[in-house]
Amino acid sequence: CDITAAHDPDAAALQALQQTANIGLGSTRFEELLASGVDFVVLTGPCGARLELVQLAAEQAVPVLLHAPMAPT
């Protein structure tokens, strides 16, 4: 499995990730990433920040793998 796309709301962090991991498609807008035709997404980060992204992916019928549970403890 190759990483083909990345999302980060921080443009500088996104650019650094793309260069480091040789990722062609990057977007600061998650909706744009979903519209690109990705097969699935892997979400990491704080629980509260991921809920909206899970909902957006579900609305587009894009499967989601959560790096950690959606529980605070």
Side-chain angles (χ1 to χ4, degrees):
C1 180
D2 294 323
I3 298 174
T4 59
H7 160 74
D8 195 311
D10 180 329
L14 176 62
Q15 184 177 20
L17 174 61
Q18 285 182 270
Q19 290 175 350
T20 302
N22 195 29
I23 299 170
L25 175 64
S27 177
T28 56
R29 294 187 55 243
F30 190 66
E31 297 89 342
E32 186 177 284
L33 181 81
L34 294 174
S36 73
V38 294
D39 294 324
F40 65 94
V41 295
V42 177
L43 296 176
T44 63
C47 179
R50 292 182 289 156
L51 179 58
E52 180 182 356
L53 301 179
V54 169
Q55 291 171 327
L56 289 169
E59 290 170 3
Q60 299 297 318
V62 176
V64 175
L65 174 67
L66 293 175
H67 183 260
M70 288 290 289
T73 59

